[in-house]
Amino acid sequence: MNGSLTPNSQAILALTAAFPDDRDSPSEAEPLSAEEYGLLAGRLQVMEASPADFLGRRAAQLFRDSSDLFSEERLKALSMRASRVEAALRVWSSKGIWVLTRSDKAYPRLLKVHLKEDAPPVIWGGGSIDIVRGGGFAVAGKASKDPSGEKQGLKHGELAACSDITVISTGKVGAEAAAMRSALKNRGLACQVPAKALDNYDSNPSWKKLLDSGRLAIVSPYPPETPDEDISEQDIERTAMALGDCALLVNADSEEDSAWLAAEELLGKYEGMRLFYWDSQAPNPALAELIDMDMQPIPEFRGVVDFHNFVQGPPPAPAAPAAHKPGQYEEVPPEPGAQAPGANPPAEITDPVLLLKLDALRREVAELAATEGMTGGAVLKTVISELIAEGRIDPVIGVIIEKVGYSQPR
């Protein structure tokens, strides 16, 4: 991604990012924050200009036209940093870190949807970019080893993995770490927005193995060299939640906790974010305030199909068959009720309850089969997971059926 840097991305990095060599080549100006860049981006839209124009012939005029927001001297000094962008990219790339700016097509759409003008102008990450930009189910909560909170993380992490939905969290101890651990254990995908500099993960063999496997991604709105004490946990929680299609808040019992503060910000300042809470039935004044802001309780899911539809919406309806054209070859359909030669007639089911359940199962399988990219193996796995969740079959038997009941084409 870093090898195809656009002029707009180069300008955004110059205006907003700290570089690895800042200690050796300090800038005369402080880089723009996310909120400051949001103001500047809005001004550029009004002027029908782009960030790259700060590096071209229109630069002098743009400095003057934006002087009511930021001083001309600050914008000039920041623009001059564009010559150092390539060197910074080489350092980050050598550590396996990629960079995306708000002008890149691969930049996560949900960050812009949920955070609007405050979406980070630049994000750094490792692992699969597709995981980061693909949405998912975010789990947030205070750092706590409370068993009930961890149980919620484990349960929803497994549901997400079985539903091919990415788990997103900062990874701190408690429900967040449990959800990520459960997702990866069940061969699912996870995206972590750590409250530590990405440099900390560069030399960790176990993390590198997971990142290289394509099942884990890490991402941060902070440059990789940022000291840990300069990273805002509230900002990190907000970014993690905003990367998801929706988010679950666990153990939100303190108005001083970073997850609670991030949830309040998403509900109050930005709106439009689907946030849910786990109801522990214990008195919780802090949670009551978020409920007043329209945070909803997380429902109990009947299985992976129910969970998938909750997070991403129901699958599209099957396309109607194309109309027959004159002269078009068409296989002669069998007569109603006709059977293949030698086939045994199916056993007739007369129990009305069984008929209703069979009809519901047929509808679910039809929806799964119609889902784009859903293979026969994935359909079988999902149906088996549903039956196990409902207690209809033993989990061991389900695994055996899954392994031997569907052969992938060679």
Side-chain angles (χ1 to χ4, degrees), residues 79-365:
S79 297
M80 291 177 64
R81 301 169 76 243
S83 61
R84 297 165 51 200
V85 168
E86 291 298 333
L89 289 174
R90 286 193 293 271
V91 173
W92 294 328
S93 182
S94 69
K95 300 175 181 178
I97 295 172
W98 44 257
V99 181
L100 290 175
T101 76
R102 275 173 44 169
S103 71
D104 290 316
K105 291 182 179 179
Y107 185 91
R109 178 187 63 86
L110 288 174
L111 281 182
K112 293 182 179 180
V113 170
H114 294 146
L115 300 181
K116 301 177 173 61
E117 68 277 1
D118 291 341
V122 184
I123 58 173
W124 291 260
S128 171
I129 290 177
D130 289 337
I131 292 178
V132 176
R133 65 193 298 260
F137 185 74
V139 177
K142 73 174 185 179
S144 169
K145 292 187 177 181
D146 172 54
S148 58
E150 288 192 340
K151 182 179 179 181
Q152 291 299 311
L154 292 171
K155 179 176 76 172
H156 288 95
E158 182 178 6
L159 274 172
C162 294
S163 305
D164 290 329
I165 288 175
T166 300
V167 167
I168 306 166
S169 81
T170 72
K172 65 186 178 186
V173 65
E176 296 190 11
M180 287 187 59
R181 189 168 64 248
S182 178
L184 293 171
K185 180 181 178 181
N186 287 279
R187 308 297 298 173
L189 302 177
C191 175
Q192 183 176 6
V193 188
K196 294 183 178 180
L198 296 190
D199 260 3
N200 294 324
Y201 300 87
D202 179 41
S203 57
N204 188 318
S206 59
W207 277 90
K208 181 170 173 40
K209 183 178 179 180
L210 280 170
L211 292 170
D212 291 344
S213 73
R215 297 196 295 117
L216 173 70
I218 54 175
V219 63
S220 176
Y222 289 89
E225 303 78 18
T226 305
D228 290 350
E229 60 269 20
D230 291 343
I231 295 178
S232 163
E233 290 191 10
Q234 179 180 342
D235 192 18
I236 290 297
E237 287 281 9
R238 181 184 70 170
T239 302
M241 291 190 220
L243 279 168
D245 295 277
C246 59
L248 169 64
L249 193 60
V250 180
N251 290 335
D253 57 5
S254 172
E255 297 180 8
E256 298 178 357
D257 182 68
S258 57
W260 188 96
L261 292 168
E264 181 193 38
E265 191 176 16
L266 286 165
L267 289 168
K269 181 177 180 180
Y270 302 108
E271 302 178 343
M273 177 83 199
R274 296 168 58 215
L275 291 181
F276 301 88
Y277 67 91
W278 166 61
D279 189 358
S280 65
Q281 304 298 321
N284 190 340
L287 183 59
E289 185 173 339
L290 297 178
I291 293 173
D292 288 341
M293 300 174 73
D294 206 27
M295 177 178 270
Q296 302 294 318
I298 195 79
E300 283 294 330
F301 300 106
R302 295 172 296 171
V304 292
V305 175
D306 193 22
F307 180 81
H308 185 281
N309 290 347
F310 174 82
V311 177
Q312 294 189 340
H324 175 65
K325 298 178 181 179
Q328 181 183 31
Y329 173 79
E330 185 175 28
E331 192 72 40
V332 177
E335 292 293 327
Q339 294 177 218
N344 294 322
E348 185 177 357
I349 299 175
T350 57
D351 188 329
V353 176
L354 288 178
L355 286 171
L356 286 173
K357 291 184 177 180
L358 180 61
D359 186 55
L361 180 60
R362 283 172 177 160
R363 286 199 303 271
E364 287 192 10
V365 172

Side-chain angles (χ1 to χ4, degrees), residues 24-87:
D24 302 325
S25 305
S27 172
E28 297 178 0
E30 183 74 17
L32 301 180
S33 66
E35 291 77 12
E36 288 177 324
Y37 180 75
L39 290 174
L40 184 62
R43 179 61 57 85
L44 289 175
Q45 286 185 334
V46 172
M47 295 187 293
E48 297 185 347
S50 64
D53 290 327
F54 279 108
L55 311 180
R57 288 179 294 180
R58 294 186 62 184
Q61 183 63 46
L62 291 180
F63 294 148
R64 289 192 295 270
D65 291 344
S66 306
S67 60
D68 59 323
L69 298 177
F70 313 105
S71 70
E72 292 186 46
E73 291 73 20
R74 184 183 181 190
L75 291 176
K76 286 179 183 177
L78 292 174
S79 297
M80 291 177 64
R81 301 169 76 243
S83 61
R84 297 165 51 200
V85 168
E86 291 298 333

